[in-house]
Amino acid sequence: RDEKEKVKVPIYMDDPERTTTDEPLCDVAHILLLFIERLILFLHQCKANFEVKPDRFNGKTNAETALDDWRKYKTPDTNEFEAKYIGPVEKSSKEIPLGCKPLFDDLKISAAEVEKVACAAMGFEQKVGGRIRGELNSKEGERKNALLDKLSEVVTVVTYAMKSPEHYYAAATI
């Protein structure tokens, strides 16, 4: 833990150049780590619930129902068919598409938290990204670069999804 190494972190994503603060690199990395951990633990819980909770219509687990549906409707990979994306189908009582909003509600994550994580990710990418890109000639450098890219992608998608929750940005990435 190097207390002296600082990262310029934007205070607001809308103005990342003008308003920054110097934060210890370890604190910025900790913010990002806690965010990713929160997502992973939530997804593990969703998976466990899917595997053991009974379907409300037939009493089988949700996983068993999904496998039954797959067996019922499976077709060879060579079959061609037309598919259309209609958009968000789940609606609230006011007929407004919900999209990713239930995900954020279940995660108990606010727009302010997502903003803080996005700012931390931006500062982290600027500070650490250059070092990692200098190591791209090695397998370890390539692995670190791929992880940094994936982290940036997840944070970016969650940020967009929080701003426009009626879309399914997060579901497509996470």
Side-chain angles (χ1 to χ4, degrees), residues 46-115:
C46 288
K47 178 182 179 278
N49 288 344
F50 177 75
E51 291 172 345
V52 298
K53 273 194 173 177
D55 185 287
R56 62 183 174 180
F57 298 112
N58 63 16
K60 295 181 177 182
T61 67
N62 289 316
E64 291 170 333
T65 301
L67 286 172
D68 288 346
D69 286 348
W70 174 78
R71 286 184 196 101
K72 183 177 177 182
Y73 298 109
K74 74 176 181 176
T75 59
D77 290 340
T78 56
N79 281 12
E80 290 186 21
F81 59 92
E82 186 176 321
K84 292 182 182 177
Y85 175 72
I86 310 274
V89 293
E90 188 176 353
K91 303 266 185 176
S92 69
S93 60
K94 296 178 184 171
E95 294 299 313
I96 299 169
L98 295 177
C100 292
K101 187 172 178 347
L103 172 70
F104 294 128
D105 292 345
D106 289 346
L107 276 167
K108 295 173 181 59
I109 194 166
S110 68
E113 288 176 280
V114 170
E115 176 92 4

Side-chain angles (χ1 to χ4, degrees), residues 111-123:
E113 288 176 280
V114 170
E115 176 92 4
K116 181 179 179 180
V117 168
C119 290
M122 182 180 283

